[in-house]
Amino acid sequence: MTALASARGNLKFAKQEFAQREKLLEELALSSAKYWVPGNGSKLEQEINAEIGKILRKAQVQATQKVDASRERNGSFLQEVYVSIEMKSVSMQSIARFFKEFANYKNAPKFVWENCKIGPDNSRAPNGVNLTLKFKVMALNEDAVKLLNDGNN
């Protein structure tokens, strides 16, 4: 085999590898629209916590919120981030405002509801209601974001 034939074989193999990588990047970019894509230089938990805080402020509701990121699963490009929100002794109007703002939020489709509980703040003499809700956010991990960013350069 000549050096030219060997170089042609290597070029053909490189083109196939490049085409496979381009296809993978295109699939990842298309499917990433369903997931939270972390910003550069910020911790995912802090970023999501800040966004939930914006929703609560816009709805004018006081609440306790907690955000926990789990580890990536099975070497995939995804991680689950669990969010819990508690409201104590609030009005139903406050809860309605919160849900309205939450539904209108640009990333709302990226949230997957796990549990929502609404009940009176006091069973004998209720003055308001308590709300406990839990949901998860499916987010791309650092490797996926790096792969997407490298593919766009």
Side-chain angles (χ1 to χ4, degrees):
M1 183 182 269
T2 67
L4 181 60
S6 176
R8 283 186 181 141
N10 289 343
L11 181 60
K12 183 179 178 182
F13 179 75
K15 284 181 179 180
Q16 289 172 343
E17 288 284 317
F18 180 77
Q20 287 176 346
R21 179 181 161 94
E22 287 294 307
K23 184 178 179 187
L24 174 66
L25 284 171
E26 184 178 314
E27 289 172 1
L28 184 58
L30 288 173
S31 67
S32 70
K34 300 185 278 189
Y35 305 110
W36 189 286
V37 179
N40 290 336
S42 63
K43 287 196 168 204
L44 182 61
E45 298 93 333
Q46 292 172 342
E47 190 176 319
I48 292 173
N49 202 31
E51 293 299 312
I52 299 298
K54 287 178 189 176
I55 295 169
L56 290 167
R57 281 189 300 281
K58 196 167 182 184
Q60 300 173 350
V61 178
Q62 295 280 331
T64 303
Q65 62 196 59
K66 182 179 177 188
V67 179
D68 292 316
S70 69
R71 299 179 191 260
E72 293 88 52
R73 298 185 319 198
N74 302 325
S76 74
F77 287 120
L78 299 176
Q79 61 182 333
E80 294 177 344
V81 179
Y82 291 92
V83 179
S84 61
I85 297 175
E86 287 188 21
M87 297 179 198
K88 303 254 186 215
S89 295
V90 296
S91 68
M92 282 303 292
Q93 290 85 1
S94 296
I95 291 175
R97 279 194 316 269
F98 169 74
F99 280 120
K100 180 182 176 197
E101 292 301 328
F102 198 85
N104 291 333
Y105 180 63
K106 65 182 187 254
N107 285 320
K110 296 170 175 39
F111 299 144
V112 179
W113 291 96
E114 295 278 319
N115 185 9
C116 181
K117 181 181 175 185
I118 300 174
D121 61 349
N122 183 332
S123 58
R124 293 180 191 235
N127 291 325
V129 293
N130 294 335
L131 167 79
T132 303
L133 65 92
K134 295 179 183 174
F135 57 92
K136 68 181 173 182
V137 180
M138 296 301 292
L140 297 180
N141 67 15
E142 291 175 9
D143 294 336
V145 172
K146 185 174 188 268
L147 185 62
L148 280 173
N149 290 339
D150 288 347
N152 291 331
N153 294 331

